[in-house]
């Protein structure tokens, strides 16, 4: 394994202390402005993990064969992963319902509520909202998370197919796909009649199982094996998708997701994924 440490807080004093904790015979190699790796690690060092957490530094023990050139597919969540907002919460804010909707969203993300049920409940609260309000959310509030474009550009440069699969809405997913230059996007469709939301979703709901199924379907279509796939997400409804991927990355994620992911990024942006797999 190699130990990858990264974060804007990192200093040479941090590196020296981590090196001492590892009792390593090799030196850190710099892979980015705020990213380094230490090769030839035989076991995970809990003291290093605790020190890094205390110092707001991301650390990961990465398998030796996991380099960017060995992957062929990356599947990503949208809300709070590729973008900084939960779209449905911001839509609700337009009609003064954000607290009610956000509370349901949070329970679903923590795994306390069935996602499909919670989504129907939230969308029902939006009945009567104007389609123009969705455009306002898009134009005024939707922002890419730090490092998102750099990560997607790196995927392109390494011939990694990219798929956004979201329990959110294709009104936003299709636009994020265009913004980032993603290959594919799958999300839910809001029913809109005469320019107003009906409070219903058209077709089957994109839930946790759908996310996993979409990853497997595209993986097989591309002729890849499991070890060549990456899934990135932040909420409980990303866990099934991450479990069928070769690598699951928890991005600024809920504790339940971090606990089950291969790697967790809590302090750096999505460009931190590049450093995890840098050679």
């Amino acid at each position: 394994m190699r130990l990858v440490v990264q974060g804007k807080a990192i200093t040479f004093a941090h590196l020296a202390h981590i090196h001492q904790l590892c009792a390593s015979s090799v030196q850190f190699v710099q892979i980015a402005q705020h990213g380094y790796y230490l090769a030839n690690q035989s076991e995970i060092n809990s003291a290093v993990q605790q020190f890094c957490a205390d110092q707001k530094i991301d650390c990961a023990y990465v398998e030796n064969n996991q380099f960017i050139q060995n992957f062929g597919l990356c599947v990503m969540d949208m809300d709070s992963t590729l973008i900084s907002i939960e779209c449905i919460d911001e839509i609700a804010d337009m009609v003064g319902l954000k607290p009610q909707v956000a509370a349901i969203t949070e329970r679903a993300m923590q795994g306390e509520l069935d996602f499909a049920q919670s989504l129907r409940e939230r969308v029902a609260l939006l009945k009567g909202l104007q389609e123009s309000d969705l455009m306002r959310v898009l134009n005024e509030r939707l922002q890419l998370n730090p490092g998102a474009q750099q990560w997607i550009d790196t995927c392109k440069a390494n011939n990694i197919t990219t798929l956004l699969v979201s329990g959110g809405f294709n009104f936003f997913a299709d636009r994020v796909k265009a913004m980032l230059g993603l290959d594919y996007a799958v999300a839910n469709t809001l029913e809109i009649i005469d320019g107003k939301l009906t409070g219903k979703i058209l077709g089957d709901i994109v839930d946790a199982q759908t996310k996993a199924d979409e990853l497997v379907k595209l993986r097989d279509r591309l002729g890849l094996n499991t070890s060549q796939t990456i899934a990135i997400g932040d909420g409980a409804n990303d866990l099934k998708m991450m479990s069928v991927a070769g690598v699951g990355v928890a991005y600024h994620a809920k504790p339940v997701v971090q606990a089950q992911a291969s790697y967790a990024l809590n302090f750096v942006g999505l460009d931190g994924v590049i450093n995890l797999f840098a050679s």
Side-chain angles (χ1 to χ4, degrees), residues 4-7 10 52 56-60 252 264-269:
V4 179
V5 294
Q6 53 183 324
I10 205 164
C52 288
K56 294 183 167 38
I57 296 168
D58 282 317
C59 78
H252 294 232
L265 299 177
N266 291 316
F267 307 112
V268 298

Side-chain angles (χ1 to χ4, degrees), residues 88 104 114-127 167 169 188 199-207:
I88 193 166
I104 301 172
D114 171 75
F115 179 78
Q117 172 197 351
S118 72
L119 186 63
R120 287 193 179 93
E121 287 183 18
R122 286 175 288 171
V123 171
L125 292 172
L126 306 180
K127 183 178 180 179
F169 310 117
N188 293 299
K200 297 178 181 178
I201 296 171
L202 295 175
D204 295 333
I205 285 180
V206 177
D207 59 8

Side-chain angles (χ1 to χ4, degrees), residues 49-251:
Q49 291 177 317
Q50 187 60 57
F51 175 75
C52 288
D54 292 343
Q55 300 299 315
K56 294 183 167 38
I57 296 168
D58 282 317
C59 78
Y61 284 89
V62 182
E63 298 294 333
N64 284 330
N65 63 336
Q66 291 178 350
F67 292 113
I68 192 72
Q69 62 268 25
N70 294 335
F71 293 101
L73 172 63
C74 182
V75 181
M76 296 153 285
D77 175 48
M78 179 175 69
D79 296 77
S80 298
T81 300
L82 283 173
I83 63 175
S84 62
I85 62 170
E86 291 287 330
C87 289
I88 193 166
D89 292 353
E90 300 306 320
I91 298 168
D93 195 35
M94 294 290 182
V95 288
L97 290 170
K98 187 171 183 177
Q100 296 94 309
V101 170
I104 301 172
T105 300
E106 182 63 21
R107 290 179 65 198
M109 294 291 278
Q110 295 286 2
E112 297 173 10
L113 271 183
D114 171 75
F115 179 78
Q117 172 197 351
S118 72
L119 186 63
R120 287 193 179 93
E121 287 183 18
R122 286 175 288 171
V123 171
L125 292 172
L126 306 180
K127 183 178 180 179
L129 198 67
Q130 299 284 341
E131 186 175 7
S132 59
D133 289 323
L134 301 185
M135 284 303 302
R136 282 185 56 205
V137 171
L138 180 72
N139 294 328
E140 299 174 15
R141 305 191 182 189
L142 190 150
Q143 291 185 328
L144 298 175
N145 265 329
Q149 191 66 66
Q150 293 96 308
W151 168 240
I152 300 306
D153 289 347
T154 299
C155 286
K156 286 175 178 289
N158 288 275
N159 298 311
I160 297 171
T161 299
T162 53
L163 165 64
L164 179 166
V165 59
S166 173
F169 310 117
N170 59 11
F171 182 93
F172 300 101
D174 291 344
R175 288 161 174 82
V176 171
K177 172 178 176 285
M179 288 166 67
L180 285 168
L182 302 169
D183 293 306
Y184 303 100
V186 176
N188 293 299
T189 302
L190 290 167
E191 184 178 56
I192 300 173
I193 298 177
D194 296 332
K196 290 186 178 182
L197 276 65
T198 66
K200 297 178 181 178
I201 296 171
L202 295 175
D204 295 333
I205 285 180
V206 177
D207 59 8
Q209 189 59 53
T210 308
K211 289 187 172 195
D213 292 345
E214 290 290 336
L215 186 153
V216 170
K217 187 165 62 176
L218 185 52
R219 178 200 72 195
D220 292 350
R221 194 193 317 161
L222 295 169
L224 301 172
N225 59 48
T226 299
S227 67
Q228 293 174 283
T229 61
I230 303 168
I232 307 175
D234 72 297
N237 66 325
D238 297 315
L239 286 172
K240 287 186 178 180
M241 168 180 83
M242 293 163 72
S243 72
V244 297
V247 172
V249 179
Y251 179 74

